[in-house]
Amino acid sequence: KAGVTQTPRYLIKTRGQQVTLSCSPISGHRSVSWYQQTPGQGLQFLFEYFSETQRNKGNFPGRFSGRQFSNSRSEMNVSTLELGDSALYLCASSSTSQGGIQYFGAGTRLSVL
Amino acid sequence: QKEVEQDPGPLSVPEGAIVSLNCTYSNSAFQYFMWYRQYSRKGPELLMYTYSSGNKEDGRFTAQVDKSSKYISLFIRDSQPSDSATYLCAFLVAGGYNKLIFGAGTRLAVHP
């Protein structure tokens, strides 16, 4: 079974631009969660989608948004990029039958210049 | 007070040593307890998962949970250089819609 796939792996953007990151979950997993990882703040929860509905949201500004498609693939978008948005963005998928166990992708490393 | 406290290390040990990694937490609603391992430039990989107090063993790894003290530990026996990574404790509230709360991560280096 293929794991969680995130694209692209690396991105370089400039301040003020917007960016879209993509995540393909493990086949059969309907929940997709997004996290931001930085050296200063560690791993922080952004939001979670299940069957195309956002069920939970972390404490991030509205510039961070996401969506999930009917095939469970998910995208997250960051608008009006700031230098502080430079981070590793991780996607995780889980199955309802596995009680919250989340499997992570390799992440997208975003650098904002 | 932070919800989760984890010593960031770094921790440096010789090959073959027993490693003890620890996290304390303050949220009594945490019901699932996990340890993830993260190699450089990779995503976190689930190592251990438990929901009850006590010990759970898997090969060289033992996870220990003490709910009364709000304390979890991961023990690595016969540590190997390939165990060099960052270890993250993670917590989940039952019914919390998959919102994992992570510790800061402990960097471990096992030298030959």
Side-chain angles (χ1 to χ4, degrees):
Chain A
K1 221 178 200 183
V4 178
T5 304
Q6 291 188 247
T7 56
R9 290 294 312 280
Y10 302 93
L11 265 178
I12 299 175
K13 293 287 187 179
T14 55
R15 277 181 299 173
Q17 286 186 312
Q18 74 162 19
V19 67
T20 299
L21 313 181
S22 180
C23 173
S24 293
I26 292 171
S27 177
H29 286 193
R30 294 165 62 189
S31 170
V32 173
S33 301
W34 288 89
Y35 295 83
Q36 181 196 66
Q37 186 173 32
T38 60
Q41 299 298 316
L43 263 158
Q44 292 186 288
F45 174 82
L46 279 157
F47 30 66
E48 188 250 4
Y49 286 87
F50 181 86
S51 291
E52 302 179 67
T53 300
Q54 185 182 91
R55 295 197 300 187
N56 206 349
K57 191 177 190 307
N59 190 24
F60 279 83
R63 299 184 298 107
F64 292 82
S65 63
R67 59 177 175 167
Q68 187 180 33
F69 301 96
S70 58
N71 61 358
S72 294
R73 192 177 69 84
S74 178
E75 289 181 346
M76 70 162 278
N77 184 275
V78 188
S79 62
T80 319
L81 284 166
E82 300 177 1
L83 294 178
D85 296 333
S86 295
L88 180 66
Y89 290 88
L90 292 157
C91 164
S93 75
S94 64
S95 163
T96 50
S97 65
Q98 289 190 294
I101 295 177
Q102 295 184 37
Y103 299 89
F104 284 81
T108 294
R109 185 163 296 279
L110 172 65
S111 298
V112 182
L113 307 178
Chain B
Q1 184 188 7
K2 280 187 176 181
E3 251 185 323
V4 178
E5 299 277 1
Q6 181 177 10
D7 187 340
L11 189 60
S12 181
V13 302
E15 184 174 354
I18 296 175
V19 176
S20 171
L21 304 166
N22 310 296
C23 287
T24 58
Y25 64 96
S26 59
N27 190 343
S28 299
F30 288 157
Q31 292 199 357
Y32 298 92
F33 309 92
M34 286 150 272
W35 285 94
Y36 282 84
R37 176 176 62 194
Q38 186 175 23
Y39 290 112
S40 181
R41 301 192 178 281
K42 301 279 189 183
E45 167 196 4
L46 182 67
L47 276 178
M48 301 289 282
Y49 170 92
T50 185
Y51 53 85
S52 58
S53 281
N55 293 352
K56 181 177 180 179
E57 193 173 314
D58 184 1
R60 296 185 296 110
F61 299 91
T62 299
Q64 186 177 78
V65 174
D66 183 343
K67 286 187 179 181
S68 61
S69 301
K70 295 190 177 66
Y71 187 89
I72 70 171
S73 299
L74 178 71
F75 299 96
I76 307 174
R77 290 184 299 281
D78 187 25
S79 56
Q80 302 295 309
S82 58
D83 294 328
S84 299
T86 296
Y87 290 80
L88 300 141
C89 57
F91 303 82
L92 185 65
V93 173
Y97 296 135
N98 294 328
K99 177 183 177 181
L100 284 174
I101 306 298
F102 283 90
T106 299
R107 278 176 50 202
L108 171 67
V110 181
H111 51 87

